[in-house]
Amino acid sequence: LQSLMQEKAIRDALTGLYNRRYLDEMLERELARAKREGYPLSVAMLDLDHFKNINDTLGHGVGDQLLRVVAKRLKSCVREGDLLARLGGDEFALLSLLAMTDDEAHALAARLVAALSEPVQLDGVMVEVSTSVGVALAPKDGQDPQALLQCADLALYAAKAAGRNTYRFFSPEMGESTRARAKLQQELGQALASEQFTLRYQPQINLQTGEVKGFEALVRWQHSERGLIGPAEFIPVAEETGQIVPLGTWVLRKACREAVTWPSHLRIAVNLSAVQFRSSSVVDIVDEILAETGLAAERLELEITE
């Protein structure tokens, strides 16, 4: 009975994988042993892409089923002696205790990504799934558990920034890039509060007649120090943090206010982020802004960004 209780204490109840507590204990012990005996080890951090959307749209029951399938697929990728753990939510970690070459480490990371790229059939619903992976190597990237996990987390962040469904190995430049991104995130919140954004209007032309049919609203950030910043730099940050919803609402309201002053035959096209489009409140927001500005609904065109 005592043995069973001890086993339950180190296992994740949902997936049967090891838990965060056991991973931390093993990582500390194995790093000390690796240092004494002079062999490398690696830590891979995994995060499911857009898992929150699955939970929100299909329910937590389906989300839990998906996590169990993910755990099973990950088990098929690891070698005997490796430690696979669920850290919580949709976060997993793989501690590779056996030495491997750089090529083998890259092959393992690619295998983890590939294993989770196949759709999953759950409760009659086909669920698209993918993962981002960040890898750190000891002793090169860190010689204590906290430092190594932080490096793996930075590499994971870089994989997400690269478009997700991929992997990245830690490099020292990632720390600086993350700090710059964190600063941009903080400034973005301040910019939203003080409305430091402006719209540019790109004409939409009928190619047969040459007639201007309307305009597409393009958002720019009028940064107090850096000048005009294009959307390619700040939109991904806004999507990751959820700031895209208030920003998109501001763009929509501003564009409709301006369009209502134009000749009635001109349309206005506004881009919506996929994150904003999935929000349950998007229909209500559009209705509210149309009523508030007096713009005819047929003059508004909504486009989902790539």
Side-chain angles (χ1 to χ4, degrees):
L1 181 60
Q2 184 179 4
S3 175
L4 181 62
M5 294 289 287
Q6 289 174 339
E7 182 68 15
K8 284 186 69 176
I10 62 174
R11 292 284 181 178
D12 170 58
L14 179 66
T15 63
L17 302 181
Y18 290 110
N19 57 24
R20 176 64 183 257
R21 171 185 159 192
Y22 188 67
L23 174 72
D24 289 343
E25 290 175 0
M26 287 293 291
L27 186 54
E28 188 164 358
R29 190 173 81 186
E30 290 301 321
L31 278 171
R33 189 161 73 95
K35 191 174 181 181
R36 285 196 312 270
E37 299 178 13
Y39 68 86
L41 56 82
S42 69
V43 174
M45 301 274 283
L46 303 90
D47 202 23
L48 297 186
D49 299 328
H50 309 301
F51 179 70
K52 184 178 183 300
N53 296 332
I54 294 172
N55 262 345
D56 290 347
T57 56
L58 300 178
H60 289 271
V62 172
D64 286 349
Q65 289 181 52
L66 177 60
L67 290 173
R68 285 192 283 265
V69 172
V70 165
K72 187 176 180 181
R73 289 187 180 182
L74 291 176
K75 283 179 184 177
S76 71
C77 296
V78 303
R79 303 169 302 175
E80 188 175 349
D82 288 347
L83 192 155
L84 185 61
R86 180 186 175 215
L87 306 184
D90 62 319
E91 295 179 312
F92 298 83
L94 172 63
L95 172 59
S96 293
L97 305 177
L98 305 175
M100 61 174 72
T101 65
D102 284 355
D103 286 346
E104 287 172 334
H106 280 270
L108 173 60
R111 203 156 62 243
L112 293 171
V113 171
L116 299 186
S117 63
E118 293 295 322
V120 181
Q121 184 78 31
L122 298 172
D123 280 353
V125 179
M126 189 66 76
V127 178
E128 295 289 337
V129 62
S130 64
T131 188
S132 300
V133 180
V135 184
L137 306 174
K140 181 180 73 170
D141 299 329
Q143 298 187 34
D144 66 82
Q146 185 176 359
L148 196 61
L149 288 172
Q150 185 177 26
C151 289
D153 205 40
L154 287 172
L156 173 60
Y157 194 87
K160 290 182 179 182
R164 304 175 190 265
N165 193 31
T166 188
Y167 68 89
R168 288 291 182 270
F169 277 66
F170 173 77
S171 65
E173 299 79 26
M174 288 176 180
E176 184 58 40
S177 173
T178 300
R179 282 188 288 272
R181 202 171 179 87
K183 182 182 179 186
L184 188 69
Q185 178 182 330
Q186 182 183 18
E187 291 178 339
L188 184 57
Q190 296 167 349
L192 277 168
S194 56
E195 295 193 4
Q196 295 176 15
F197 295 95
T198 184
L199 296 184
R200 298 288 189 268
Y201 294 97
Q202 179 172 281
Q204 296 177 322
I205 299 172
N206 185 318
L207 294 180
Q208 291 181 325
T209 65
E211 177 189 9
V212 175
K213 297 174 57 181
F215 294 86
E216 180 180 4
L218 305 173
V219 64
R220 300 291 184 267
W221 180 359
Q222 189 65 55
H223 194 279
S224 56
E225 296 175 1
R226 297 173 54 193
L228 213 58
I229 301 177
E233 185 172 350
F234 65 84
I235 290 296
V237 177
E239 288 182 328
E240 286 176 13
T241 60
Q243 292 167 312
I244 191 65
V245 175
L247 175 57
T249 301
W250 180 88
V251 170
L252 183 60
R253 178 173 281 110
K254 177 77 170 175
C256 288
R257 279 178 181 165
E258 300 219 5
V260 80
T261 66
W262 302 345
S264 60
H265 69 282
L266 293 176
R267 297 164 59 89
I268 179 67
V270 179
N271 290 309
L272 288 183
S273 161
V275 174
Q276 186 180 14
F277 189 75
R278 282 192 294 264
S279 169
S280 59
S281 62
V282 66
V283 174
D284 292 337
I285 289 172
V286 172
D287 276 347
E288 176 188 319
I289 290 174
L290 288 175
E292 174 190 313
T293 61
L295 183 72
E298 60 269 18
R299 294 182 60 196
L300 175 63
E301 181 179 303
L302 299 175
E303 300 178 358
I304 303 176
T305 52
E306 296 84 353

